[in-house]
Amino acid sequence: MSNIRIGIVGYGNLGRGVELAIRQNPDTELAAVFTRRDPSTLKILTAGVGVYSVNDVADFKDKIDVLILCGGSATDLPEQTPKFAELFNTIDSFDTHARIPEHFANVDAASKKGGNISVISVGWDPGMFSVQRLYGSCILPEGKDYTFWGKGVSQGHSDAIRRVEGVADGKQYTVPVQAAMDAVRNGEDPDLTTRQKHTRECFVVAKESADKAKIENDIKTMPNYFSDYDTTVNFISQEELNANHSGIPHGGFVFRSGKTGVNGETRHIIEYSLKLGSNPEFTSSILVAYARAAVRMKNEGMTGCKTVFDIAPAYLSSKSGDELRASML
């Protein structure tokens, strides 16, 4: 069987991560990179692979088995995924939870029209965490789900603080509240508010002569980002930010707390956790695994939009069914 030919649309942190992930999967190869920037200004790691304008994607219909779309969920993916799903098998990491049903419907229609497979909302949340929540609720129907994110960099929240007047640069970390996680682990089934589950920790470089008190207040009172959380604002130098906060780590925990027995007397806790050195590199590795699954499903005659709920784990592996049963079951 020939290698799976993958095209990357967008070459930011996620696109670069996909290129790295392809290098670790011998049954895949990078076919092309597409960008909104001037292609001549983009230098990629893979020798012999071309960089092209995103406007030229359709010209590669017979040269690419699956497109991995590495744009943002706010404006890029709602437009790009349905557009490209009519022409290619596609994978995206759409993560606006409230709009997933709408995005699914749009991509499903386009994929079926083109006779392709598309997998949306691939990553760790939504994605791997979603699968764990589903498994937990199926196994322990009488119970509660808890999801904690962090400690890790929130790129969206970091961008929000950098837009505050007087801020030169900044990073924001989402931090789970240890006492809340301990209560879940102890089987107390707490009812937790947003504020009780997570805190926000900001590291801010202020512009010269900026009003730091005003910056701190503007951050802490920002609706939809910080006003519902206990938020700490730390003012540091640009040098310290560069030295100590240049990475993009993340992670989190999914719990299912449930009861079995005649009167619910037996307690069970399911816990799944991730500790990620690089959020985009880990997410990219998931995208490549699901790209393999999409191509296999297309080869079996399936079409339409899928999510992680619809795809059996065996489709993700480069191993055969015999190999999986012998080595992992």
Side-chain angles (χ1 to χ4, degrees), residues 177-191:
V177 175
Q178 189 62 48
M181 288 204 298
D182 289 344
V184 174
R185 285 195 178 107
N186 293 336
E188 298 173 20
D189 287 352
D191 293 320

